[in-house]
Amino acid sequence: MKAGAPPGRRAAETASTLAGGEDLALALDRDDPLAVLRAEFAIPPWPGGRYPELAYFAGNSLGLMPLAAREAVEEELEHWAQLALDGHFGGPRPWVPYQELMRETSARLVGARVGETVCMNTLTVNLHLLMATFYRPTAERFRIVIEDAAFPSDSYAVASQAVHHGVDPSRAVVRLRPREGKDTLRTEDVVAFLEREGASVALVLLGAVNYLTGQLMDLPEITAAARAAGAVAGWDLAHAAGNVPLSLHDWDVDWAAWCSYKYLNGGPGAVGGAFIHERHARDVSLPRLAGWWGNDLAGRFRMQPEFVPRPDVESWQVSNPPILSLAPVRVSLELFDRVGMTALRERSLRLTGYLEKLLDDAAGEIAAEVVTPRDPSARGCQLSLRVPSGAKELAARLRAEEGVVCDEREPNIVRLAPVPLYSSFHDVWRAVEGLRRLATAS
Ligand SMILES: Cc1ncc(COP(=O)(O)O)c(C=O)c1O
């Protein structure tokens, strides 16, 4: 075993040819002040494997569990057991205003002001709730612009919104495609489209980081172009929140929505979030789908038939929230707040840069092409690889034979996301070494 190698590691069967090899990866971890954050997460074990733990690269799909999540959920179970109904207004963290515990941390996470973010529902539900307010098609302005490689749920959501308003979705939904032979969109092409066709566009709804390619869009520029065209700029932050620094307020984004089970490590099906710029959030006259939880707290329990929205984003809440699902989101947001997105992004750039370097070094052995932009400012932590075929089989072999967990999108994309809160340089080395070993063994 090499000095400093994790306990339980058995000798690799083939010698690594990767730059600096395993020793460099271990040294990078030793010299990294943020490597300690890993200890705050449950890293899944690899029973019987060459290393005691899996090397986990699927945080873009489901983030790992912060250890604090268990205690946070158990505390609420205990409050339920001890306080029952009184837990709504009593105990250390009353459930009725529980969402307020995340007002500041969620705002800081996405670069918003307090009163512009709320933790509620799940992502597609939030897209619909926000489109109920912000997609108001007219005869002239009725189109919704998405990217061709949009996540399917977004495609269904926008098409169904068009139908809901009596607009033919094949006329309403515009899918922006990359240039011939390219994988990712160019900002200038999106802007040019909006300058050309903007008068017919009601809403631009793009993924801030595309789920498939890992491309980080130019949010400020596209937002400005959408607004200059008279359209509303909404963003799907599923792969951006907790992955890249955001300044939604300053960028003048109209609205955004995200889920919390990926980079935010809130747990399977966790409560997501929404942002509405205060110039809209304060406007109580905006149409919305109302429910009692959007009613002003002072009046919520008077059981009056009138809806009196608070002058902030919390009035878009509809139902009372699932506290057992919010508790892990609360502690996870506190962790992000403690570390800060600037420090996490800095570590993320180093981890992903290292992954890219190792992949390039092994290019002669691994038949995989990076489809994510090579410019670090145009991507988050994820690198998507195009493999000749059999992405599913490759991911399964990586998991079984190398203890490396990534995810795949058939037929030919494998996604690897080194997550700065818990991934190590050694994990990254294992991923590329695993790919190399599988390629040279077959
Ligand atoms: C980009 C994007 N949009 C929407 C969704 C759907 O999220 P939900 O199931 O919370 O509605 C996902 C889920 O992975 C996603 O990645």
Side-chain angles (χ1 to χ4, degrees), residues 60-61 121-127 147 149-155 206-212 236-239 257-262 269-270 272 409 415:
N60 56 328
S61 209
N121 312 310
T122 43
L123 174 51
T124 314
V125 172
N126 285 334
L127 293 177
E147 73 268 46
F151 191 82
S153 202
D154 297 35
S155 295
L206 301 176
V209 173
N210 182 266
Y211 86 99
L212 189 65
D236 177 336
L237 304 181
H239 294 261
W258 57 93
C259 52
S260 302
Y261 42 79
K262 302 178 188 298
R409 289 289 173 262
R415 305 185 300 175

Side-chain angles (χ1 to χ4, degrees), residues 99-142:
Q99 197 291 128
E100 295 174 15
L101 299 172
M102 285 154 279
R103 266 185 190 154
E104 300 200 359
T105 52
S106 62
R108 278 194 285 272
L109 181 85
V110 296
R113 292 194 175 160
V114 172
E116 290 182 323
T117 57
V118 61
C119 295
M120 62 180 193
N121 312 310
T122 43
L123 174 51
T124 314
V125 172
N126 285 334
L127 293 177
H128 278 300
L129 286 176
L130 293 165
M131 282 193 277
T133 297
F134 294 106
Y135 178 57
R136 319 284 306 164
T138 63
E140 297 76 36
R141 197 182 274 285
F142 57 92

